[in-house]
Amino acid sequence: MMRASRQLIAAFVSLLAAAPAVVQAQAQAGEWVSYRDAYRAMVQFEKYGGPKNLLQSQLQVQSRDHAGLGEGAQLTLTGKTTQLNLPLDALGRTVFPLTKAAYDENAALVLNRKGMPFVLRPQVTIAPRADGQYDAADLRTACAQALGFVRYVDASQRARQCVGVRFVFPRKGSADTAGARLRHAEGGEQALPVTSGAAFTGDPDEGFPIVTWRFATAPGRAQVVTYNAPLAIVPIFE
C-alpha cells in the first residue's frame, strides 16, 4: 500500500507537468482501492502552504482498460462506520473527503462498475468562475500557483514554466457553446480556435472540445471569456 500511495503522490507532478505516465493505485484486482493510499496523495494539497486560492483539487477515476466509465459512475467510500457516495463528473472526477474515521478504518473506495479495474489520479486545476470571464493576469497567477504546488511536490520540476491554460468543455454542444473569445484591453475581440482531444495528459478519453490559450499570444492586458462553463481549466507547463 505504501508503494501505491507514493505513486499517487507522484501523480500530482506527472499530470500537472504534462508527463505521459499514468499512475495506478489498485488493490484486489483493481476492484477497490485503499482510502489511506488515496488520502496520503490528496492531503498533499491541503498541507501545501503556498498560494492556492485560484486552484481546486479533485480525485479522478479512470478504467484501466480505457473502456470508459459510462454515465452514472460513482465511487463509494465504505468502511465499518463510513458509507459515502461520491458522484463523478464528466471527466471522472470527484471531491475527495478527508475524514479521520475513514482513515482509521482504512475504508475502501469502490467503483460501481463490477469487475472493472480502475486507477485513481489526483488532479489540480484552475477553479472556474461563475461569470465565465477570466482576466489574463488571474490566469497567469493561477498557473503560477499550480506550478508552485508541482515544485513543492517535486523540486526537479523547477525548470518548467507556465505557458498557458487549456479550457476543457463537455462533449455535447456545438463549437460555439464550447468556445471562448479573447477580449483585448482596447476593446477588440477574437474567437479562440476549438480543437478536440484528451482533457489531461495521459488521459485516454479523447473527444473533448478544447480551447488552448498561450500567454505569449497576448502579453498585455486581456480577458478570456467562455461561452459556457468549462469542465476544467488545466495549466500548461513546458
Side-chain angles (χ1 to χ4, degrees), residues 9-143:
I9 293 169
F12 278 120
V13 177
S14 65
L15 293 170
L16 284 175
V22 175
V23 177
Q24 301 180 3
Q26 57 185 305
Q28 298 297 317
E31 294 185 8
W32 66 275
V33 171
S34 161
Y35 175 84
R36 287 179 185 168
D37 288 341
Y39 178 95
R40 292 184 183 109
M42 299 301 292
V43 79
Q44 296 297 305
F45 186 78
E46 301 302 318
K47 291 180 177 179
Y48 177 56
K52 56 184 178 182
N53 61 299
L54 299 177
L55 306 177
Q56 61 183 15
S57 173
Q58 293 172 302
L59 183 69
Q60 186 187 32
V61 184
Q62 285 189 336
S63 62
R64 284 201 291 126
D65 58 7
H66 302 172
L69 300 178
E71 294 186 7
Q74 71 174 19
L75 281 179
T76 300
L77 179 61
T78 303
K80 293 180 180 179
T81 64
T82 305
Q83 187 73 22
L84 183 63
N85 292 327
L86 305 173
L88 306 178
D89 69 7
L91 297 177
R93 300 175 304 168
T94 187
V95 175
F96 184 77
L98 300 174
T99 68
K100 184 177 185 300
Y103 187 91
D104 290 343
E105 298 170 1
N106 194 19
L109 288 163
V110 182
L111 183 65
N112 66 338
R113 295 290 185 266
K114 186 172 179 58
M116 176 184 287
F118 65 96
V119 296
L120 299 181
R121 302 168 14 145
Q123 296 286 5
V124 173
T125 55
I126 298 170
R129 289 180 55 88
D131 61 6
Q133 301 181 22
Y134 302 87
D135 289 340
D138 290 340
L139 290 174
R140 292 187 180 97
T141 298
C143 189

Side-chain angles (χ1 to χ4, degrees), residues 100-198:
K100 184 177 185 300
Y103 187 91
D104 290 343
E105 298 170 1
N106 194 19
L109 288 163
V110 182
L111 183 65
N112 66 338
R113 295 290 185 266
K114 186 172 179 58
M116 176 184 287
F118 65 96
V119 296
L120 299 181
R121 302 168 14 145
Q123 296 286 5
V124 173
T125 55
I126 298 170
R129 289 180 55 88
D131 61 6
Q133 301 181 22
Y134 302 87
D135 289 340
D138 290 340
L139 290 174
R140 292 187 180 97
T141 298
C143 189
Q145 288 184 4
L147 183 56
F149 176 70
V150 168
R151 290 170 172 172
Y152 163 75
V153 176
D154 185 356
S156 69
Q157 301 297 318
R158 293 189 179 278
R160 291 186 178 270
Q161 300 295 324
C162 295
V163 299
V165 292
R166 185 165 65 249
F167 293 84
V168 182
F169 294 92
R171 286 194 180 94
K172 297 178 180 179
S174 67
D176 290 338
T177 60
R181 62 188 185 275
L182 183 65
R183 180 181 295 163
H184 297 279
E186 64 273 15
E189 292 188 356
Q190 67 184 92
L192 295 173
V194 179
T195 60
S196 179

